[in-house]
Each structure stands twice: as structure tokens, then as C-alpha cells.
Amino acid sequence: MKNKDGLLVVFSGPSGVGKDSLLQRLLEVNPQISLSISATTRAPRGAEQHGKDYYFLTKEKFQEIIKQDGMLEHAVYCDNYYGTPRQPVEEGIRQGRDVILEIEVQGGAQVRQKNPASVSIFVLPPSMRVLSQRLHKRGTDSEEVIQKRLAKAREEIQKAEQYDYVVINDDLEECVQEICEILSAEKKKASRSGKLIEEVLNNE
Amino acid sequence: MKNKDGLLVVFSGPSGVGKDSLLQRLLEVNPQISLSISATTRAPRGAEQHGKDYYFLTKEKFQEIIKQDGMLEHAVYCDNYYGTPRQPVEEGIRQGRDVILEIEVQGGAQVRQKNPASVSIFVLPPSMRVLSQRLHKRGTDSEEVIQKRLAKAREEIQKAEQYDYVVINDDLEECVQEICEILSAEKKKASRSGKLIEEVLNNE
């Protein structure tokens, strides 16, 4: 006897905090989880595949979906639309899957507002110092870019309290376990258990 | 880097649902948990010990504590006061312990109202049928008493949605694990993480 719908999970954190490694490991340990695929109007790059890396849409199609309230959130960067199509997310949830949206703080706010039943998790670094070390270690960015990322991280972390939960990615496995516990606990929320309570009462 | 305060946990469920077995097992698997000890003005029975089974207080002392808002909740049964002294509970929480109050639905409502940061968990039986079977199996009550317990259970379960979480005690170990996950997840709530976020930001 379980609540059958999955969860809509908003997942955010600053650049360099390790969101991709966390999600990869989460998918390995918890087969009930899916990642949401974003839609964009920009052209595919390299080996990017439609329906795997992104849904690649025309501007007209994207705007039509927005009009029909078919995007959970969307934004425009450099003249291109980016967004989260509602339909595949809601389908996954109805099938009992927990669908994770890896998303920026601003998009996260849109999703949370439109979906009060969503669960939002913000990933913190152990400290700004460690985040700076991680960004330097990656060796992919110039010092100027790293400083910009750190400034942005600081802004985002200041909004972490708007989220439902805050986890620290110090030890990856520990952090993955904490996220699993959060998803598990959320399914026991009384606000999601109305049907269950009825079933218990009616089964005499 | 952890949030240091423990949780105030309201724990309720109908007679026969197995609250005592759950709490006993919880204390075994999670040494961070304490049980709150109630206060009463009734006389000790048998081997009952002050400070272990109950705090045995005079009526005057009990009323004085109520006046000083020193009871998290209280009620009068059969001319005797029963209640939860605030001071030992808050001391445990400050020491980082999760303090569980096993309490009736009405007392639970008082505690939740006075302590918005409390976490409330309601234990459901798998079904009314199973609850009835368990009460019959105990063999301690007459059919009339069992029917009264079942009627009261039904009333209480109808209030389960007022709680934060609802767990089903079907398999004891599974239920204990779910409760542990709930307590663990609650500690990751952003609303409890203001200090943590500050520490991350300040540690550059």
C-alpha cells in the first residue's frame, strides 16, 4: 500500500558543487528516479541527440507550448529559449517515477511556485573555500571566469533558504544517501497520504 | 558541519498499532533519540520510579509549572493532571538529542501549535482489519473494550492528516527505518539550515 505518484524534484546548486556526479550516482542507486530533459531552440551541437540531451524545438513550436502552459519553466538566453516541457515530467510522475529537474535558482523558483507539491533540494559546497579549490582543480576556466562563478555561487547560495532542503556535498556517497532519505521521507508526508488513510479506514 | 539542535518529535497512533515496540527499537538503532518523560499528579503504582516512568508531582507544583508555561501540553484525567514538562525536553534538544513525545492526538495538537518547528509522526495500522486482529490477539481486553478501542482508533486516524508524516506499521523494521529517514530528512530542512548556510558563505 503505497502512494503511487512519484515526486517532482527541483535540484539546484552552484557551478562546481558536483551536481552531475550526484545525479549520476543517484540514478545508479535509485532506479525509481528519472532526469527531466530540457527543451531548447538552439541548434544541436556535436553528437547531441533529440530526446536524450535536449528536445530540440523550433521557436514557433516552443512559443506554442508556452502559450498552452506546457512549460514548467522557461527562460531566454542569447536569443534562444530553454525550458522544461511539462508533459514528459507529469507522465513520469504518474508512472510513479521521481523526476528530477536540474535547474537554476530562477527556474527553480518558477517550478516551485507552479507546483506546490514539488520537493526542492539545494546542494551546498562544504565552504566557499572548498568550492574555489574545486573550480581551480578542474583547470577548465581562467581565473577571471572562476571569480565570476564564485560571485554567482555566493548569490545563489544566499537563496538556498527558499528551498525545502539543503544538503552539503562533502562526501558524495553520504550526500546521495541524504537525498534518498529526503525523497523517502517526502513520500510519508501526511499531505500526500490522504488516499492511504482512507484505504486504512475502509479496509475493515 | 551539522545543525546542532535535536528535533522535538510528536509521536501518535491508535492503541494496538505498536507504538511501544517501535519506540523500543528506535532507541536501539538510533542512540541520538530520547523519550520524553511525562509528569503526573497521580500516585506511583507498583515499581514506578520518579524520573523514569513519570515525574510524580504534587497538584500545587503541577499547577505552578502550568502557570509558568512550563508544560508543553497537559490534560486532566480522573482528577489527575498529566503533562509534558518543557524543561527536560528543551534541554535534550539543545544537547542535540531528538526527543520523542509519545502522546495522544489532542496533546499532540497542543505541542504542534506551541512548537511550529516540531516534527509530528502518526503511526497507522496496515488496515482497520489488521488493527482489530492485533487487539484480539493480545487477549487482554473484552470484546466490548476492543470495540471501544477500534471506534477511538477510527476517530484518531481521521486526524492523521493533521500530522506532518504518516507511516504504516506493517513490518516493524521497515517502519523504524522510515522514521529514521524522516528524522534525518528533517535535519536537512532549509528552515533549520540558516546558520549552516552562513557558515558555508563565511568560510572562504
Side-chain angles (χ1 to χ4, degrees):
Chain A
M1 225 182 315
K2 302 209 166 173
N3 298 312
K4 280 160 198 158
D5 275 6
L7 302 170
L8 172 56
V9 183
V10 171
F11 192 75
S12 305
S15 170
V17 82
K19 294 189 295 295
D20 288 336
S21 313
L22 284 169
L23 290 177
Q24 198 185 323
R25 190 75 188 112
L26 260 175
L27 291 179
E28 282 168 16
V29 302
N30 191 333
Q32 204 181 353
I33 291 175
S34 299
L35 296 189
S36 161
I37 297 163
S38 297
T40 181
T41 58
R42 77 156 169 75
R45 290 177 197 146
E48 284 181 344
Q49 285 174 41
H50 177 75
K52 193 183 159 213
D53 301 291
Y54 280 99
Y55 298 109
F56 293 102
L57 305 178
T58 63
K59 208 166 191 172
E60 293 67 38
K61 181 68 185 165
F62 203 112
Q63 289 170 331
E64 195 192 308
I65 296 178
I66 293 174
K67 251 192 220 160
Q68 297 165 346
D69 196 26
M71 290 286 174
L72 288 174
E73 54 80 39
H74 68 276
V76 179
Y77 298 108
C78 310
D79 266 344
N80 280 309
Y81 283 93
Y82 291 82
T84 305
R86 176 193 293 276
Q87 190 262 327
V89 170
E90 293 189 344
E91 197 175 299
I93 290 169
R94 268 197 306 275
Q95 290 169 357
R97 305 190 67 73
D98 299 332
V99 181
I100 298 190
L101 279 59
E102 186 192 338
I103 200 171
E104 275 200 295
V105 170
Q106 239 176 326
Q110 285 183 50
V111 175
R112 280 183 282 127
Q113 203 189 351
K114 278 197 191 176
N115 303 272
S118 66
V119 180
S120 56
I121 302 175
F122 192 95
V123 186
L124 286 176
S127 66
M128 288 305 291
R129 190 162 45 80
V130 171
L131 186 66
S132 168
Q133 286 165 359
R134 286 186 192 166
L135 288 171
H136 280 97
K137 238 188 214 166
R138 292 208 299 206
T140 49
D141 299 319
S142 68
E143 185 59 31
E144 196 194 332
V145 170
I146 288 177
Q147 290 310 321
K148 272 192 190 160
R149 285 197 196 282
L150 286 172
K152 195 173 174 215
R154 180 168 280 283
E155 266 176 51
E156 288 170 337
I157 291 171
Q158 278 160 350
K159 289 177 185 152
E161 268 191 273
Q162 298 172 4
Y163 281 67
D164 295 319
Y165 298 94
V166 164
V167 294
I168 290 191
N169 186 17
D170 189 358
D171 178 86
L172 183 88
E173 291 300 325
E174 211 175 286
C175 191
V176 165
Q177 201 201 324
E178 286 171 3
I179 294 167
C180 288
E181 286 170 346
I182 287 169
L183 301 185
S184 182
E186 275 289 330
K187 287 174 191 169
K188 305 297 165 195
K189 277 273 176 80
S191 54
R192 302 185 199 279
S193 304
K195 263 191 204 167
L196 188 73
I197 294 168
E198 244 177 77
E199 278 173 33
V200 168
L201 285 169
N202 291 337
N203 187 352
E204 289 186 292
Chain B
M1 225 183 316
K2 301 211 166 170
N3 298 312
K4 278 159 201 159
D5 275 4
L7 302 169
L8 172 56
V9 184
V10 171
F11 192 75
S12 305
S15 170
V17 82
K19 295 190 294 294
D20 289 335
S21 314
L22 284 169
L23 290 176
Q24 198 186 323
R25 191 76 189 112
L26 260 175
L27 291 179
E28 283 168 16
V29 301
N30 191 332
Q32 205 182 351
I33 290 175
S34 300
L35 296 189
S36 162
I37 297 163
S38 296
T40 181
T41 58
R42 77 154 167 77
R45 291 179 196 146
E48 284 181 345
Q49 286 174 41
H50 178 76
K52 194 183 158 212
D53 300 292
Y54 279 99
Y55 297 109
F56 293 101
L57 305 179
T58 62
K59 208 166 190 173
E60 292 67 39
K61 181 68 186 165
F62 203 111
Q63 289 171 331
E64 196 191 308
I65 296 177
I66 293 175
K67 252 191 218 157
Q68 297 165 345
D69 197 25
M71 289 288 172
L72 288 174
E73 54 82 35
H74 69 277
V76 180
Y77 298 108
C78 310
D79 267 342
N80 279 310
Y81 283 92
Y82 292 82
T84 306
R86 176 192 293 277
Q87 191 262 326
V89 170
E90 292 189 344
E91 197 176 299
I93 290 169
R94 269 197 305 275
Q95 290 169 357
R97 306 189 67 73
D98 299 333
V99 181
I100 299 189
L101 279 58
E102 187 193 336
I103 201 171
E104 277 200 295
V105 170
Q106 241 176 325
Q110 285 183 51
V111 176
R112 279 184 282 127
Q113 204 188 351
K114 278 198 191 175
N115 303 272
S118 65
V119 180
S120 56
I121 302 174
F122 193 94
V123 186
L124 286 176
S127 65
M128 288 304 291
R129 190 163 44 82
V130 170
L131 186 66
S132 167
Q133 285 165 359
R134 286 187 192 164
L135 288 171
H136 280 97
K137 240 191 213 162
R138 292 208 300 205
T140 49
D141 299 320
S142 68
E143 185 59 31
E144 199 194 331
V145 170
I146 289 177
Q147 289 311 321
K148 273 191 190 161
R149 286 197 196 280
L150 286 172
K152 196 173 173 215
R154 179 168 281 281
E155 266 176 49
E156 288 170 338
I157 292 171
Q158 278 161 350
K159 289 176 184 151
E161 268 191 273
Q162 297 172 4
Y163 281 67
D164 296 320
Y165 297 94
V166 165
V167 293
I168 291 191
N169 186 16
D170 189 358
D171 178 87
L172 183 88
E173 291 302 324
E174 210 175 287
C175 191
V176 165
Q177 201 200 323
E178 287 171 2
I179 295 167
C180 288
E181 286 170 345
I182 288 168
L183 301 185
S184 181
E186 275 289 329
K187 288 174 191 168
K188 305 297 166 196
K189 277 274 177 81
S191 54
R192 303 184 199 278
S193 304
K195 263 192 205 166
L196 188 74
I197 294 168
E198 245 176 75
E199 279 173 32
V200 167
L201 286 170
N202 292 337
N203 186 351
E204 289 186 294

